[in-house]
Amino acid sequence: MTDQKIKDQNISHCGFVSIVGRPNVGKSTLLNQLLGQKISITSRKAQTTRHRILGIDTEGNDQVIYIDTPGLHIEEKRAINRLMNRAASSSIGHVELILFVVEGTRWTDDDDMVVKKLQDVKCPVLLVINKIDNVQDKTKLLPHIQEISQRLNFMDVIPISAENGEGVDIIKSIVKTHLPTGEHHFPDDYITDRSQRFMASEIIREKLMRFLGDELPYSVTVEIEQFKVDEKTGMYRINGLILVERDGQKKMVIGNQGEKIKKIGTEARKDMQEFFQTKVHLELWVKVKAGWADDERALRSLGYGDD
Ligand SMILES: Nc1nc2c(ncn2[C@@H]2O[C@H](COP(=O)(O)OP(=O)(O)OP(=O)(O)O)[C@@H](O)[C@H]2O)c(=O)[nH]1
């Protein structure tokens, strides 16, 4: 190895990379793959991610800070949708690189909206075509890529499958070449900027998204009322409050003889134990708080819009 190479390896690098795209294209799945650990919740329903979340990947002298964002979407009628779009848009500036994630050969008006937002950015934009495992006829991929490439000057186009990891290493190596020299922003053992309390509420929300019917998840949010560490055993005692908008929704979350909320609690506790690496005692309650998703002040008190 040359002296120059040895010298370069000892220089600290750090930079921010935004992951943007419309809802449900696989941004959070990609972030989890890039980190090799699950920190961002995912589900088959659109608009699972509601907050901006940082995923920190430190390898030797290099620290990459990925910004996972809520999916950008046209519908902005409700206060919650406005805040989600704002959180996503604010992450577009001041980064080293943007990963624009789209889904196979499927293109929608929301994708067009994202392209418009990216039109004037100063940093390079990498087009990431996700879910290629779902594209049956691969011959359609090339003309599709050619068509999208006319809409924006992409630095490169990488087809991937975030679900099974295909192509993710290529993204990692491209990201590395865009890191400026500089001190690490976070301690090397950090994987996210978010508190354990926040992660606990997200894990519960993921189970609500996954186990409730198609419409209900958008009327539900979670507040952590208690987060205590038992000093003797190290066990976490967590109380979560599930807020819904109407009485009928409360019944649906609880389920027949409490079976639904029990399932949500069991699955959330399992994930929490894995994430926190300790035993967890979790209790869940459901409460009606009408109109929480339309009221910007109520949303702020629930932690929305701080992003
Ligand atoms: N087949 C397939 N499914 C994928 C792939 N990546 C993600 N998915 C699925 O797509 C759905 C959405 O993934 P998410 O990671 O939650 O998508 P997102 O873009 O973060 O969604 P929002 O939170 O709505 O912005 C989930 O059901 C994932 O399992 C992939 O490479 N292949």
Side-chain angles (χ1 to χ4, degrees), residues 242-306:
I242 299 166
L243 295 176
V244 294
E245 294 189 293
R246 286 189 298 277
D247 218 32
Q249 295 171 339
K250 183 173 167 177
K251 288 199 182 91
M252 281 191 249
V253 174
I254 292 170
N256 198 6
Q257 296 184 327
E259 116 204 45
K260 188 70 101 197
I261 194 158
K262 200 169 158 207
K263 171 105 182 131
I264 289 165
T266 307
E267 294 298 316
R269 186 172 48 80
K270 272 195 223 153
D271 276 21
M272 284 180 191
Q273 292 189 158
E274 193 178 321
F275 187 79
F276 298 132
Q277 291 289 299
T278 186
K279 275 220 170 304
V280 171
H281 178 86
L282 174 67
E283 290 198 30
L284 295 176
W285 281 273
V286 192
K287 195 172 129 186
V288 179
K289 185 167 178 170
W292 67 264
D294 292 310
D295 176 353
E296 204 160 315
R297 246 178 54 200
L299 283 166
R300 286 189 187 283
S301 78
L302 290 166
Y304 288 92
D306 306 339

Side-chain angles (χ1 to χ4, degrees), residues 21-30 40-50 68-72 101 130-134 160-164 210:
R22 71 168 157 82
N24 217 32
V25 289
K27 299 179 293 300
S28 301
T29 309
L30 172 60
S40 195
I41 64 168
T42 66
S43 90
R44 62 175 182 81
K45 299 188 181 91
Q47 298 177 21
T48 300
T49 304
R50 289 184 184 164
D68 187 14
T69 59
L72 280 159
V101 185
N130 190 28
K131 305 195 191 183
I132 48 158
D133 55 303
N134 263 351
I160 68 157
S161 169
E163 191 89 353
N164 64 30
R210 289 187 177 191

Side-chain angles (χ1 to χ4, degrees), residues 183-195:
E183 293 292 310
H184 293 180
H185 282 267
F186 291 95
D188 288 358
D189 58 347
Y190 272 37
I191 52 157
T192 181
D193 62 325
R194 294 294 192 162
S195 65

Side-chain angles (χ1 to χ4, degrees), residues 120-135:
D120 299 320
V121 296
K122 304 276 185 289
C123 68
V125 178
L126 189 66
L127 178 64
V128 177
I129 316 241
N130 190 28
K131 305 195 191 183
I132 48 158
D133 55 303
N134 263 351
V135 180

Side-chain angles (χ1 to χ4, degrees), residues 25-70:
V25 289
K27 299 179 293 300
S28 301
T29 309
L30 172 60
L31 173 67
N32 294 337
Q33 277 285 0
L34 286 162
L35 297 178
Q37 187 172 348
K38 183 169 164 181
I39 64 149
S40 195
I41 64 168
T42 66
S43 90
R44 62 175 182 81
K45 299 188 181 91
Q47 298 177 21
T48 300
T49 304
R50 289 184 184 164
H51 305 269
R52 181 195 56 66
I53 179 166
L54 300 187
I56 305 158
D57 183 21
T58 308
E59 267 178 39
N61 291 316
D62 297 335
Q63 182 168 78
V64 190
I65 303 157
Y66 292 101
I67 311 173
D68 187 14
T69 59

